């Protein structure tokens, strides 16, 4: 009987990559709009326009009061933030210099370093910061969808979050480039730098690809397709990690310590764990594809690499006492039960948790004849010899990158 596909559970809540919100201070936008209208038209604003301006102020005040997201506020916050951004975009199209004539100063705090504040006087700055918070709210809502098993909803929300970061990137780039930039590049908070926005977009796309892979697993897609989807998720996680774990940004995303509190790098360690886990899933899916082609040597080698990557994911967990390490391993326990006629499932369980020799793999002992056991043993010996010649210490896997489906960001 054909073994069922492994059911990779979504990342647990504590292992999801949740972004902090940007804080802001009050801004008298309605009074500035009404004064501008009176100066331009030399008349009193109609009551409908005055009511709309006051409503805009109320929406901003309500959104600025959100200090942290929760299960009950994330969806509503994302919807209202995007609606507020659309209203700002409509205003910016009707005003000169993106609303600089309003003389309103919008003050926003850095998401990772709240002590840093940036103040600018145009609506595009307000839009960029609003898009950042909208992406953070969509990412939080997606983690909630992961927990309840709604992979399609998580995929859509993360795709929209990536679109928010892409839109913010497209607004920041022309504002800081050129001989006479509208914003001085050094005046931006680090969370809105071009490299940071690109990395966060890749991070949202990586989680969206992971959700799409889960959906493919639930639908019983072929192992070769699942392997490509998982590999693309691993590549996107790797692209985001390379930027965020670089020398320029590593210290920035690490929370500053104090005399009585050490520096907190849990956010970055959570990202490292997610990247290692995505690579482990990619190798496991490639092993399933190898098993479907009866390539048991490649299957065992990939499963060994998957088990090593799973151990790295657990080691990168922010705090062993929080139980995150066991939750990272729990999906592997659930989808790799011991049992006959399931060589793929039992191997990863044995190599990770029981540490039994790979010679006990069912394809080598339970379902093979004596001649088949000899062939499998020779494959293992050749694999060990390749590994001994490999100076990097990683199993030798001649992988050529296949064509991988790409998720295009959807603009909000």
């Amino acid at each position: 009987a054909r073994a069922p596909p492994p059911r990779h559970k979504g990342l647990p809540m504590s292992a999801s990559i949740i972004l902090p919100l940007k804080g802001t201070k009050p801004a008298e936008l309605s009074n500035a709009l009404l004064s501008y209208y009176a100066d331009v038209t030399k008349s009193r604003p109609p009551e409908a326009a005055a009511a709309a301006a006051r409503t805009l102020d109320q929406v901003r005040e309500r959104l600025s009061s959100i200090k942290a997201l929760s299960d009950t506020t994330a969806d509503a916050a994302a919807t209202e933030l995007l609606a507020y951004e659309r209203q700002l975009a409509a205003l910016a199209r009707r005003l000169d210099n993106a609303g600089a004539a309003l003389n309103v100063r919008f003050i926003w705090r850095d998401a990772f370093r709240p002590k840093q504040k940036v103040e600018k006087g145009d609506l595009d700055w307000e839009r960029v910061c609003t898009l950042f918070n909208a992406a953070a709210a969509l990412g939080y809502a997606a983690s909630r969808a992961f927990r309840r098993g709604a992979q399609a909803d998580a995929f859509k929300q993360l795709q929209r979050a990536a679109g928010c970061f892409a839109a913010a990137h497209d607004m920041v780039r022309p504002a800081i480039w050129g001989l006479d930039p509208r914003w001085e590049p050094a005046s931006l908070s680090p969370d809105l730098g071009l490299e940071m926005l690109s990395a966060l977009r890749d991070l949202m796309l990586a989680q969206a690809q992971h959700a799409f892979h889960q959906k493919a697993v639930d639908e019983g897609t072929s192992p070769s397709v699942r392997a490509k989807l998982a590999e693309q998720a691993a590549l996107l996680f790797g692209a985001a990690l390379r930027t965020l774990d670089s020398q320029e940004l590593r210290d920035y995303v690490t929370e500053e310590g104090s005399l009585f509190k050490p520096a907190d790098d849990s956010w970055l360690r959570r990202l490292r764990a997610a990247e290692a886990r995505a690579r482990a899933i990619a190798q496991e899916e490639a092993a399933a594809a190898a098993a479907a082609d009866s390539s048991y040597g490649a299957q065992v080698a990939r499963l060994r690499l998957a088990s090593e990557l799973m151990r790295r994911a657990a080691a990168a967990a922010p705090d062993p006492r929080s139980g995150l390490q066991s939750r990272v391993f729990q999906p592997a326990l659930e989808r790799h039960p011991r049992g006959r006629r399931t060589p793929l499932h039992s191997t990863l369980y044995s190599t990770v948790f029981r540490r039994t020799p790979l010679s006990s793999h069912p394809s080598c002992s339970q379902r093979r004849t004596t001649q088949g056991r000899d062939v499998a043993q020779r494959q293992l010996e050749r694999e060990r010899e390749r590994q001994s010649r490999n100076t990097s210490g990683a199993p030798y896997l001649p992988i050529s990158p296949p064509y991988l489906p790409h998720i295009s960001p959807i603009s909000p």
Side-chain angles (χ1 to χ4, degrees):
R2 183 180 177 182
R7 295 183 59 84
H8 305 279
K9 303 295 184 184
L11 289 174
M13 181 62 188
S14 55
S16 299
I17 313 300
I18 305 298
L19 296 175
L21 291 175
K22 293 177 67 67
T24 185
K25 289 190 173 183
E28 294 294 335
L29 185 56
S30 62
N31 291 338
L33 285 171
L34 296 177
S35 298
Y36 180 81
Y37 182 92
D39 292 342
V40 172
T41 63
K42 306 301 180 182
S43 62
R44 184 178 180 180
E47 186 60 33
R54 287 193 296 270
T55 302
L56 194 64
D57 253 358
Q58 292 170 2
V59 171
R60 191 186 192 280
E61 183 179 358
R62 184 164 60 250
L63 292 174
S64 62
S65 65
I66 303 175
K67 304 304 180 184
L69 296 167
S70 66
D71 290 353
T72 57
T73 61
D75 291 297
T79 301
E80 198 154 353
L81 282 164
L82 291 175
Y84 176 64
E85 192 277 331
R86 285 192 293 269
Q87 290 178 319
L88 294 176
L91 278 175
R93 287 193 295 267
R94 289 166 171 80
L95 300 173
D96 295 333
N97 298 324
L102 295 176
N103 294 321
V104 180
R105 307 300 292 180
F106 299 103
I107 303 175
W108 285 85
R109 297 183 181 275
D110 189 283
F112 292 88
R113 300 290 176 89
K115 293 182 180 180
Q116 299 182 17
K117 295 182 293 184
V118 177
E119 177 182 351
K120 294 190 180 299
D122 61 53
L123 293 176
D124 282 350
W125 172 249
E126 178 83 348
R127 290 178 61 196
V128 167
C129 297
T130 302
L131 284 171
F132 186 101
N133 278 0
L138 287 167
Y140 193 103
S143 68
R144 180 172 173 269
F146 268 131
R147 282 183 292 161
R148 68 173 190 266
Q151 310 298 346
D153 292 344
F155 168 75
K156 294 176 183 178
Q157 289 164 335
L158 288 165
Q159 205 175 31
R160 295 177 68 194
C164 289
F165 283 123
H169 181 278
D170 293 343
M171 292 175 62
V172 171
R173 182 175 57 183
I176 64 175
W177 280 10
L179 298 177
D180 187 19
R182 186 153 48 99
W183 302 339
E184 287 296 330
S187 68
L188 294 178
S189 55
D191 57 346
L192 295 178
L194 294 181
E195 287 189 358
M196 187 70 175
L197 290 173
S198 297
L200 294 177
R201 178 201 59 202
D202 289 342
L203 177 59
M204 294 298 113
L205 285 176
Q207 295 184 94
Q209 185 79 6
H210 173 70
F212 195 77
H213 169 258
Q214 304 304 318
K215 185 173 179 290
V217 171
D218 294 339
E219 294 175 352
T221 311
S222 65
S224 60
V225 173
R226 296 201 312 268
K228 294 177 181 178
L229 293 173
E231 180 66 18
Q232 178 66 9
L235 290 175
L236 288 168
F237 270 117
L241 182 62
R242 279 193 299 274
T243 302
L244 295 170
D245 203 9
S246 63
Q247 185 176 1
E248 295 79 9
L249 292 177
R250 185 185 304 117
D251 293 338
Y252 165 68
V253 297
T254 300
E255 184 178 346
E256 291 181 315
S258 62
L259 182 62
F260 302 102
K261 180 183 176 182
D264 183 9
D265 63 344
S266 59
W267 191 86
L268 186 58
R269 293 184 64 185
R270 190 172 291 111
L271 176 58
R272 292 169 183 161
E275 189 268 344
R277 185 175 184 272
R279 291 171 59 197
I281 292 175
Q283 291 298 327
E284 186 184 355
E285 293 289 20
D293 294 336
S294 300
S295 300
Y296 293 111
Q299 177 196 11
V300 171
R302 289 187 182 276
L303 285 173
R304 286 179 75 178
L305 181 55
S307 66
E308 175 60 29
L309 290 169
M310 272 293 201
R311 282 192 287 269
R312 293 182 192 176
D319 187 0
R321 294 173 298 177
S322 66
L324 178 60
Q325 290 185 327
S326 62
R327 284 194 291 273
V328 170
F329 274 116
Q330 189 61 31
L333 282 169
E334 294 176 357
R335 66 178 180 268
H336 293 293
R338 298 281 291 178
R340 298 188 61 184
R341 305 181 67 81
T342 57
L344 170 63
H345 292 182
S346 59
T347 299
L348 186 57
Y349 180 91
S350 62
T351 55
V352 174
F353 302 104
R354 296 297 181 81
R355 306 185 71 87
T356 56
L358 286 174
S359 59
S360 63
H361 185 276
S363 63
C364 301
S365 60
Q366 295 180 7
R367 301 177 57 190
R368 307 289 290 184
T369 60
T370 303
Q371 180 180 2
R373 285 198 301 269
D374 295 340
V375 171
Q377 187 63 33
R378 285 195 297 271
Q379 289 177 340
L380 291 175
E381 292 174 356
R382 284 196 296 270
E383 191 62 38
R384 294 192 186 100
E385 184 179 354
R386 288 172 181 163
Q387 294 177 26
S388 64
R389 294 197 300 266
N390 185 13
T391 58
S392 64
Y396 174 78
L397 296 174
I399 306 172
S400 58
Y403 171 77
L404 300 171
H406 178 68
I407 304 175
S408 300
I410 297 178
S411 298

